[in-house]
Amino acid sequence: MNTFNYSYAVNVYFGEGAAAKNMPAELSKVGKNVLLAYGGGSIKKNGVYDEMIKILNDAGKNIVEFTGIMSNPTYDKVQEGAKLAKDNNIDFILAVGGGSVIDCCKIVSAQAKLSEDIWEFEYSNGKRPTEFIPMGAVVTAFGTGAEMNNGAVITNTEKMMKSALWGAFYNFAVLDPAYTMSMPLKQVISGAFDSLSHSMETYMGSPRDTNLSDEINEATQRNIIRNIRETLKNPNDVQARSELMWAAAMAENGILKIGKATDFQCHMLEHQLGAYTDCNHGQGLAVLHPVLYKHYLPEATQQFARLATEVWGIDPKGKYESELAEEFIETLSSFIKEIGLPTTFAEMGIGDGSDFEAIAKSTIRTGGCVKKFTDEELLEVLNECR
């Protein structure tokens, strides 16, 4: 295992009724002006909005609403939120929603305190912001684990880049599985697959020999697979939702990454696919993973074989490591079909007119990946996903 330092900034409140029980004390620590951020308005249909308004009113807060945060939050939306925060002297940001809302607010929090353009500040100057508006997150759609870290994926439409920016950690995060029960089942499964992808992307990094972080990761992957199946059997199973919600958090709270240099090459490729097509993130990952993993062979044989036996329960008796590795990819592909996620771009409505060459060329290459991809090979992957 690599050398590491580990600390964790987010106070997590998990369970039914966690918001009402814990948010009053948290809100007593912050100023009066609160930016209430959310997406398309689903929280007004499931009662979460009314609950948040009551909690904020009871705490004596002045509420300014920041609405309409899209599923792939744009840099323009970040700037809109930052201006709103500055103009209203916002003391605290409450992000209510899924990963898109939560990611967007991390960068709003930083940009509102920064005189420079944060994209240029981070990418051109190589700096990270150090001042932030304090924040809290109330998770209503799980999968990304966005509430667990300070990274955000933002689409810069002008630059045609969907990339990471670094903002603030949340002071606290409320994870109430009951809030997720109104999520469309398709979104639940897509989000849960994103959690599985996060776990695999961490697992596939280095070191590649057996280590404690990876063994915890194997358990997390088994949990996600089992509870996706349980959720499909019974979409009203709150216990399965609870498990998936915490698994999403586990995949991104740093524990699985302790001592690891992570992979995340599939995510980088999907991000650029999203920059050019605005596609659903979890669905894009589902299409890309099996195809990309075929290109990982033979470099990733040892790790794939371990995933085959330790996560997917494939019997290793009489099989070479290379056979187990290939069987892992086949099993992952079959699972994706089983749970109703797409296996081709065509199923996602992504046609041949997409600029795959530009997507391949603009994809970031990750240092932790077992294989160093060329533009040409990433283009092959994209074409094989059609």
Side-chain angles (χ1 to χ4, degrees), residues 30 33-35 81-82 84-86 89-94 105-114 130-136 167-171:
V30 301
N33 297 326
V34 174
L35 187 70
L84 201 59
K86 288 178 179 179
N89 297 312
I90 293 298
D91 300 304
F92 184 77
I93 299 171
L94 183 64
C105 288
K106 294 174 193 175
I107 312 307
V108 168
S109 167
Q111 181 67 84
K113 290 287 189 178
L114 193 66
T130 56
E131 289 187 68
F132 312 99
I133 297 174
M135 302 184 299
F169 280 95
Y170 281 85
N171 295 35

Side-chain angles (χ1 to χ4, degrees), residues 24 39-40 50 71 116 162 167 180 183 185 193 216 228 234 246 260 263-264 274 306 316 332 345 354 360 369 381:
D50 289 339
S71 57
E116 302 170 61
K162 183 177 176 182
T180 74
M183 284 174 67
L185 186 58
F193 187 82
I216 298 170
I228 286 176
N234 178 11
W246 183 238
K260 295 280 292 186
D263 179 348
F264 280 84
R306 219 165 45 235
L332 176 63
F345 289 156
S354 300
C369 185
V381 171

Side-chain angles (χ1 to χ4, degrees), residues 174-344:
V174 173
L175 280 71
D176 184 340
Y179 289 166
T180 74
M181 297 308 291
S182 61
M183 284 174 67
L185 186 58
K186 190 175 182 179
Q187 185 181 350
V188 173
I189 302 307
S190 177
F193 187 82
D194 189 19
S195 302
L196 181 62
S197 174
H198 287 175
S199 301
M200 291 190 295
E201 298 265 54
T202 299
Y203 192 92
M204 292 307 300
S206 62
R208 309 190 200 284
D209 295 326
T210 304
N211 59 80
L212 178 58
S213 295
D214 283 353
E215 289 179 316
I216 298 170
N217 192 325
E218 289 164 3
T220 303
Q221 290 184 57
R222 290 195 300 269
N223 182 284
I224 294 168
I225 293 161
R226 181 176 68 251
N227 284 291
I228 286 176
R229 286 172 167 152
E230 290 299 321
T231 299
L232 285 168
K233 285 181 195 172
N234 178 11
N236 296 315
D237 186 341
V238 179
Q239 182 59 31
R241 295 288 181 102
S242 298
E243 293 291 316
L244 288 173
M245 193 174 210
W246 183 238
M250 274 293 293
E252 281 300 319
N253 64 11
I255 290 175
L256 305 186
K257 299 178 182 179
I258 289 175
K260 295 280 292 186
T262 61
D263 179 348
F264 280 84
Q265 189 59 70
C266 191
H267 263 71
M268 294 303 101
L269 186 56
E270 196 288 326
H271 286 168
Q272 279 310 99
L273 179 70
Y276 279 79
T277 67
D278 196 34
C279 66
N280 177 279
H281 179 56
Q283 291 183 18
L285 291 170
V287 173
L288 285 166
H289 259 298
V291 177
L292 188 67
Y293 277 178
K294 287 176 184 175
H295 285 256
Y296 275 40
L297 293 170
E299 291 92 341
T301 296
Q302 182 184 29
Q303 286 166 293
F304 283 170
R306 219 165 45 235
L307 284 169
T309 57
E310 301 305 318
V311 172
W312 295 95
I314 296 169
D315 186 357
K317 189 175 181 181
K319 296 174 184 175
Y320 292 109
E321 213 173 46
S322 58
E323 293 176 292
L324 288 169
E326 290 179 0
E327 198 166 345
F328 155 69
I329 298 172
E330 291 167 7
T331 303
L332 176 63
S333 184
S334 296
F335 177 70
I336 290 165
K337 291 178 185 176
E338 174 194 336
I339 64 178
L341 288 176
T343 58
T344 66

